[in-house]
Amino acid sequence: MPPFPYYDAAALDALDKDAAAMLGVFTKAGYARAEPSVLQPAEIFLDRSGEEIRRRTFTLTDLSGREMCLRPDLTIPICFEAAQRGGPFPARICYHGPVFRHQPGKPGRPTQFVQTGAELLGLGDAAAGEKEILSLTFEALKAAGLKNSELLFGDLSLFGALVDGLALPKHWRWRLKRNFWRAGYVEALLEKLAQGAPPADVAMLDGKDDAPLAGRTREEILRRARDKAAEAASLKLDPAIAGAITKLLRVSGPAKEAMAEINELLKTAGIKLDAQMAGMESRLAAMAALGVDPARIRFTAHFGRNMEYYTGFVFEVWNRDAEGPVQVAGGGRYDTLMESLGAKAPVSAIGCAIRTERVLAAKRAAP
């Protein structure tokens, strides 16, 4: 697609046909269609999306001085409306419409594309919700005529559970989870902690002191420095635990083999994550029930889809167009997003988004 797509009658007819087929799957399952405004308050995106989306969001200032943006996705505005409305839950919502993303360094890539998707909000049974969204994603792609897709999935809650079990101060555990997406950061910090790193090394990874210098006395500054040095000096992880986590983050491959490798790593390190592993086995069973070829299912441990609001199970569906492999759909669990958008209580949430143009391109490239 060109950077500024022009949809002629034939393109609109083909896209509308595929969208209607996919929306038909969602509405038959009880999902009501919604359409958020194209123009949105920028802060609801910039405060909750990953760096990858933040740097690709088109922002502008309206005549009253409010910072606005063209919606870079539909998940956040749909969740924002549901959070402000306050239910009822569970809520099943589907959508179809354009989204807008800047493509830095990729001048030939489109700045506008169409998404078709669904959000499942407030279903208490997490496993049932994951199975429902995953099933609907594959059923929607099948309804649109796409075959031979491959599934890539991960689970941020696996890493989160590992970190929560570490003998580290709470803010250090938070920092590890918050920086899951930063290539090499977690591995470097784990290596330092396993070696009993000198205070200066750990402080470097810790980042800058958040407290401003202005207004503090010399004694306060020195006391803060001593406290940070003392904390850093006391931080040390069992090398076996740190090594197991580092190895786990490198696990990537066919799902069954990856599960076996993770189980062996956990057993060697004496770490028990029975609930998380049972959840992954349940997902594999659900995929088998859908008829997905096990050879087309891959697991990657260090996989978060570059969106900071994801909290657990994440997935992408891949196919091929005329240029090669292409991601046609993606989604996952985001259980903290609704509260951050104003919900009065925790609301479990999971959803999927399908790139309608890519579905069409993959179908046209199929032999």
Side-chain angles (χ1 to χ4, degrees):
M1 286 184 65
F4 303 100
Y6 179 86
Y7 303 96
D8 60 19
L12 286 171
D13 182 63
L15 289 171
D16 288 346
K17 183 178 179 180
D18 282 355
M22 293 188 287
L23 286 170
V25 171
F26 295 138
T27 55
K28 185 177 179 180
Y31 286 70
R33 187 172 176 184
E35 177 67 28
S37 171
V38 167
L39 195 61
Q40 292 284 327
E43 68 268 13
I44 70 170
F45 291 95
L46 303 182
D47 293 345
R48 293 164 184 85
S49 302
E51 178 60 31
E52 176 67 14
I53 298 300
R54 284 194 291 269
R55 71 189 185 94
R56 294 171 62 188
T57 299
F58 288 101
T59 59
L60 62 148
T61 303
D62 71 7
L63 295 177
S64 64
R66 293 181 304 174
E67 189 176 17
M68 312 295 288
C69 73
L70 298 176
R71 63 188 188 198
D73 81 359
L74 285 110
T75 296
I76 287 180
I78 283 176
C79 288
F80 179 69
E81 174 63 27
Q84 299 303 304
R85 191 173 60 244
F89 298 116
R92 290 175 168 85
I93 305 165
C94 64
Y95 59 81
H96 169 71
V99 298
F100 308 85
R101 295 182 190 173
H102 175 50
Q103 304 287 357
K106 301 174 182 177
R109 297 282 293 276
T111 56
Q112 172 182 313
F113 53 90
V114 183
Q115 283 187 342
T116 306
E119 312 296 341
L120 175 52
L121 311 176
L123 186 68
D125 188 334
E130 291 172 7
K131 182 177 180 180
E132 181 173 323
I133 286 294
L134 198 57
S135 299
L136 288 173
T137 302
F138 274 89
E139 288 173 18
L141 292 172
K142 183 179 179 181
L146 192 61
K147 302 176 182 178
N148 301 320
S149 297
E150 298 185 358
L151 180 70
L152 172 67
F153 78 101
D155 189 348
L156 281 77
S157 69
L158 179 65
F159 178 70
L162 281 170
V163 171
D164 285 338
L166 299 178
L168 291 173
K170 182 179 179 180
H171 70 278
W172 275 88
R173 298 197 302 272
W174 175 86
R175 181 172 287 108
L176 280 166
K177 289 186 281 187
R178 180 89 164 92
N179 289 282
F180 177 81
W181 292 267
R182 288 176 58 187
Y185 177 92
V186 172
E187 293 86 344
L189 181 53
L190 288 171
E191 182 180 359
K192 293 290 186 184
L193 294 174
Q195 295 171 354
D201 286 349
V202 179
M204 177 184 68
L205 290 166
D206 188 22
K208 295 180 180 178
D209 190 346
D210 295 329
L213 291 175
R216 290 195 293 167
T217 66
R218 180 175 182 276
E219 289 72 19
E220 288 173 331
I221 295 171
L222 291 173
R223 183 170 63 250
R224 174 62 175 162
R226 286 194 298 268
D227 290 345
K228 288 176 69 69
E231 179 187 272
S234 67
L235 293 172
K236 190 175 190 306
L237 281 179
D238 180 339
I241 300 294
I245 297 174
T246 298
K247 289 178 182 178
L248 185 144
L249 289 172
R250 295 173 183 157
V251 172
S252 180
K256 279 291 185 183
E257 296 175 16
M259 295 303 101
E261 186 176 353
I262 291 173
N263 276 316
E264 185 60 32
L265 283 170
L266 295 176
K267 181 180 178 182
T268 300
I271 302 172
K272 293 182 70 65
L273 294 177
D274 295 344
Q276 287 76 18
M277 297 305 297
M280 284 195 279
E281 292 293 346
S282 176
R283 292 170 198 135
L284 288 178
M287 296 168 203
L290 289 171
V292 182
D293 183 353
R296 293 181 175 272
I297 304 173
R298 295 181 61 84
F299 173 85
T300 296
H302 210 157
F303 172 53
R305 301 206 68 232
N306 295 322
M307 299 287 276
E308 291 180 6
Y309 57 67
Y310 284 121
T311 59
F313 171 58
V314 287
F315 68 92
E316 291 177 350
V317 183
W318 286 73
N319 213 287
R320 299 186 69 86
D321 63 11
E323 297 180 359
V326 61
Q327 180 198 328
V328 296
R333 176 163 295 284
Y334 47 95
D335 288 336
T336 60
L337 180 60
M338 291 288 289
E339 274 190 283
S340 78
L341 290 169
K344 304 297 184 186
V347 179
S348 64
I350 185 170
C352 69
I354 300 171
R355 290 283 294 267
T356 316
E357 285 110 331
R358 288 181 177 178
V359 171
L360 183 59
K363 286 195 306 176
R364 288 174 172 170

